Amino acid sequence: MNNKLKKRKLKIIIGIIILIPCCFLVKSLINSNEEKRIIKNNYISLEKLGNVNIATVEEKINKKHKLNDEKSGDNSKEISNKMYFEKSVFMGDSITEGLDFYDIVNKSSVLAKKGQGLVQAKKSVSILTNINPERIFVLYGMNDLESSKNSDDFKSNYIKLVKDIKQTVPSAEIYLQSLTPVQAKVQQKNNSFSQDRLDKFTQAIIEVAREENVHFIDIRPMLKGKEELFEQDGIHFKGDFYGLWLDNLKSQLKSQSKSQSKT
């Protein structure tokens, strides 16, 4: 019995040894045939390509692009905020700093710092020389609401800042933005953020823009009824706010551009 078992095992081993090379051979033949098929298909494709009229190809490509444009609508919406605002600078406090925190625009486009007001902002103006932006979006006031006695002081400091910016980068377009609203709970706890005070300080910004012949953009309407965009402190904003903010800026820039082209 032992001899029979030994012989049977030996036959199995020999069979396996013979089978393995056969498997590789079959696989090799399959791969070879597959390679031949691919080469043949590529050759046929190249042969067809050689007979194609270039003008016809271009026409098809143009039609495809046109169809995609019609489906997507306004192509400018596809341009990322980083690309659209790459030659812009955003000056402000911690609210503006969120543009960098949430990676909405390039880091080099954000010139903002937590706790900054108009007086501290003057230190940042000199940096504009190296950046040399085409547009400058300014958003200060939340810290000034607590540090400024009244809107007149605020206006005076704002005028000084705008003049400094003009002198540093005279070719840049300057856009002053309204103060952002705060939630009711903030106004109840701190009189500095009362609605009357917010309105007066924003009116001061409007006056500065008019007197200094720079642009004013009101960002308050876009936040109306959007309580979900606020952080728990009722002053700062969540990440979703920043995309809406920049979409709003782009929309207003386009409107201004259209109105200027008509005049």
Side-chain angles (χ1 to χ4, degrees), residues 63-206:
K63 283 182 179 179
K64 187 174 181 181
H65 281 300
K66 186 178 180 181
L67 183 62
N68 290 336
D69 290 347
E70 289 173 354
K71 287 180 179 179
S72 63
D74 186 0
N75 287 338
S76 62
K77 290 181 181 178
E78 298 177 4
I79 300 174
S80 70
N81 287 323
K82 287 187 177 182
M83 288 182 64
Y84 190 91
F85 292 101
E86 64 180 351
K87 293 182 180 179
S88 300
V89 164
F90 294 83
M91 297 183 68
D93 49 35
S94 54
I95 292 176
T96 301
E97 201 174 20
L99 289 169
D100 176 29
F101 180 80
Y102 289 107
D103 195 30
I104 304 296
V105 298
N106 294 321
K107 191 177 185 69
S108 58
S109 294
V110 183
L111 200 56
K113 192 174 182 181
K114 180 181 177 181
Q116 270 198 350
L118 293 172
V119 176
Q120 296 84 1
K122 293 178 183 178
K123 298 176 182 178
S124 303
V125 174
S126 59
I127 302 173
L128 292 172
T129 305
N130 296 327
I131 303 174
N132 194 27
E134 292 181 359
R135 300 189 187 106
I136 301 171
F137 297 92
V138 186
L139 179 57
Y140 289 104
M142 301 311 289
N143 294 304
D144 296 278
L145 283 167
E146 294 187 286
S147 61
S148 299
K149 292 181 179 179
N150 51 58
S151 59
D152 290 335
D153 291 340
F154 176 73
K155 179 180 176 180
S156 177
N157 287 328
Y158 220 133
I159 289 174
K160 291 177 183 177
L161 176 64
V162 172
K163 287 184 181 296
D164 285 349
I165 294 174
K166 282 182 174 181
Q167 188 174 359
T168 305
V169 276
S171 62
E173 291 286 332
I174 301 172
Y175 297 82
L176 309 185
Q177 299 171 86
S178 64
L179 294 182
T180 52
V182 298
Q183 290 186 319
K185 63 182 181 182
V186 178
Q187 296 179 339
Q188 292 169 3
K189 289 181 180 180
N190 192 335
N191 291 331
S192 296
F193 294 96
S194 68
Q195 192 59 51
D196 180 64
R197 198 166 164 82
L198 281 165
D199 292 340
K200 285 182 177 178
F201 275 55
T202 294
Q203 181 58 38
I205 298 172
I206 295 172

